[in-house]
Amino acid sequence: MAPADLESRTRYDPAETEERVFARWRDSGLFHPVPEGTPEENYSIAIPPPNVTGVLHMGHALNGAIQDALIRLNRMRGKRTKWILGTDHAGIATQKQVERLLETEGTSREALGRKAFEERVWRWREQYGSSIIDQYMRLGASVDYDEERFTLDERYVDAVLRVFVELFEKGYIYRDNRMVNWDPGLRSAVSDLEVEEREVTDTLYYVDYPLASGNGSLTVATVRPETMLGDTAIAVHPDDDRYTRMIGETAILPLIGRRLKIIADPYVKPEFGTGALKITPGHDPNDFDIGREHGLDEITVIGEDGRMTEHAGERFAGLTTLEARDAVVAALREEGRIAHTEPYVHNVPFSERSGERIEPLISLQWFMRMDELVTPAVEAVTDGRIAIHPENWTRVYLHWMENIRPWCISRQLWWGHRIPVWYRGDETYVGVEPPRGSGWEQDPDVLDTWFSSGLWPFATLGWPDQTEELKAFYPTDVLSTGREILFLWVARMIMLGLEFAGDIPFTDVYLHSIIQAPDGRRMSKSLGTGVDPLALIDGGPRPPVFTQGGDFPAYGADAVRFGLLAMSSTQDVRFNEEKVAQGRQLANKLWNASRLVLLRLPAGLELSDVAPRPGAVEDAWILSRLQAAKADVALALDEFEFHRAVLRLYAFIYDELCDWYLELVKPRLYAEGDDSGAAAVALHVLAETLALAHPIIPFVTEEIWGHVPGSDGLLMAHAWPEPDPALADPAAEDEVGRAITAVQELRGWRDRVGAAAGATVPGRLDASGFERTAAAVARLARFEWQSDGGRPVATVGVPGGSIVVLESEAVDADAEARRARERQDLLRKEIARAQGRLANQGFVAKAPDAVVRAERDKLARLEAELDELRI
RNA sequence: GGGCGGUUAGCUCAGCUGGUCAGAGCGCUUGCCUUACAAGCAAGAGGUCCCCGGUUCGAGCCCGGGACCGCCCACCA
């Protein structure tokens, strides 16, 4: 239990609190629900599995805050909630990391051999794999820690292999020799989605290819002269008059002497370069297609190691592509084959994995045909069974799906799901279990990591077995992630979920913001722009990108959650430390507001005896405002408008609860033997506020909850506060609303005339609608009402009339005269504006009545105040 | 080359279906150690809502054009 000395803890201390509170949550077992009920009754989210190599970064923290807010909200709504936890083996990333480690030990993957290497990775994973999960705990994430999945768990592997085999049997998966994106750094194929284009300035070489006939030559333009060693044709546009007579002729490939047929293909753009295109089917995706169409030879001159092969010829074999380029250019120059060169800016594919330039080459790989899987996945979104938020990403999703291409799913790695295919001579065996008999050799490749991630929402629940978990929690509810993996992951989960689990994997996709560094760059550790969420929680060092140095204050998990949610948007945003600070202020504010209420509670008063029965107008007011806040926060969360939810919560707690209600109710709260029920209402409102805030700032609210007399059990398990329409009270809102305005006007007046802060100013309340709030207005504005006597020295307009300030030492006549003039000027300007509008016939005739009436009321109010001021 | 988004106070950002929408937090100024909180309270200054046209009685909000910034997709040598 928490330290009981609320009295002395004048600040909320997250460091002292969080671990203790988390342990209570975890021990409650609520994170780990019994699999019962139907997916409609239950609420589940499958966490985007972090890489086993990963450490918690800002993206995880934001997504953690989002998902936990949703989970906690729905748990409080009485749903059985399960936040499915697990990690991804992350083939490439993990393999690279362990390889680097091996390098420091002076050894290598190859030296160890496949089996030993795999064992090494497993050991490495046991050592480091779970750190990210501990970090999720620090955030307060209520994931089901008791059931942690891993994409290489035995059961998961079984699901992956089964899916592979079934897709193979359906004819969706096939093996083919095709052009792939070869990553020479990784020495593996990668998928189209793992390739990024970068702008590069290259040289465009114009190379003369002599015609076999001896009648001149044909000039082609190329940025990659080294690939010409693999040329097998030259193509021109069929309608290009310059070349039509040459179609069917033969050119001679310089340096090599190969005879190249001159072919016609509409793909060629006559206006580019010379209008003649050298065709290298072995190393250019377009040329590959043209080559297949025209039945051209495919010559591989660049090998998987990124060096020229023997087919490039003796002079060049063994050179890297860059060396080969220089050598080829030099040789061409020697022969006088280079007509001219020019700089050329274009986009070049690079591997996102290794950062190296992609080498397109022909390779024997496994592919997956997507066209048939796409149809139901498109339908699920177009018919609304799956909603994507923000909505405009729906189109992006559909567009990509409609233009989907085969997916290269094999990777030449060792860490991952080994492809369940075995070869023996000409025989091929495909199956989950290895084949019987001897002499079989398994395909050495593993599957793309995203292939296994695609099964995440159902494989984590035990599929293909019809487990209780699967029955209770599939389909899941929300999938929250960054938009960069909408295609890579989300789309594939939808396709595979529909195909194998027989239903959509989730009903809503929420694409959250990417949080950039404060200067707008990408957050990255190596750039010094990465902000570590744990440094924010615990008070670690600020990264170099911050103008301010030193350590972060220990903001605490609630502050980080609040701050991240406040930053989140439909677009990418810059990291903003102030928002985190705002979260900390809120936690502290709520803490102290709670101290005020809880330390003043009459002995014996318990939450269970407390009904929201207003004993004064401010009670009715706060109860009414509370209902509005509850409705707004819930709506914002349900609409995935997290920043709106948290800022509304902030505004309610700060402005309405603390600035006004608690100040208004204080005298009653402090009064000995108060019988107006102030404590009961305050306690009720506090309890509801804690519940309302809990999904956003769970730690501080749970901690305070422990101090609420009669609070039963955990706040985490408490009912979500639904708005009670019976407590809406427009009359009280109006009444207290005008009191608030009056106090603000009076305070503003005091400040303008320089009234001493401590002085009580005499005045006469000359306005209606203050029957129940006059005393409060006087107290909060430091006024004293006098019914008679005193010389009027100023008039302050308030709703429903005005307040006449009476002569006293506190009022400086000159200052007041100045202030009155300023006020009159302002009023005249506003009056002129309103009159102008009302004089406009179009406005009066066409604007809605309510708008016109409001304008008239406003004018009357302004004129009345101006009249008052003239006295 | 297509598509999408952004440009609102010094900074980071809200502004839903056009009419108290010109906002928040931070920063800044001024005054307060008022018995929940100085990580506090109160008051205030600060903005041709990127530019140019248009629609409308009325436009940050709708339409057209332009400028700059960013993201996604894309196999033109």
Side-chain angles (χ1 to χ4, degrees), chain A residues 666-687:
Chain A
K666 237 180 214 173
R668 292 162 61 216
L669 230 38
Y670 278 83
E672 284 296 322
D674 168 73
D675 62 355
S676 70
V681 172
L683 184 58
H684 167 83
V685 172
L686 175 65

Side-chain angles (χ1 to χ4, degrees), chain A residues 98-108 112 120 124:
Chain A
V98 176
E99 279 184 287
R100 263 202 298 275
L101 186 69
L102 292 178
E103 208 181 309
T104 65
E105 294 170 0
T107 178
S108 71
L112 283 181
R120 186 60 204 268
W124 181 89

Side-chain angles (χ1 to χ4, degrees), chain A residues 698-743:
Chain A
F699 286 105
V700 66
T701 50
E702 190 72 76
E703 174 73 354
I704 298 168
W705 186 250
H707 293 280
V708 171
S711 63
D712 199 20
L714 289 167
L715 179 58
M716 176 174 78
H718 189 263
W720 175 251
E722 297 289 347
D724 179 357
L727 290 173
D729 190 338
E733 292 213 16
D734 178 67
E735 210 170 329
V736 174
R738 60 176 63 204
I740 288 171
T741 306
V743 170

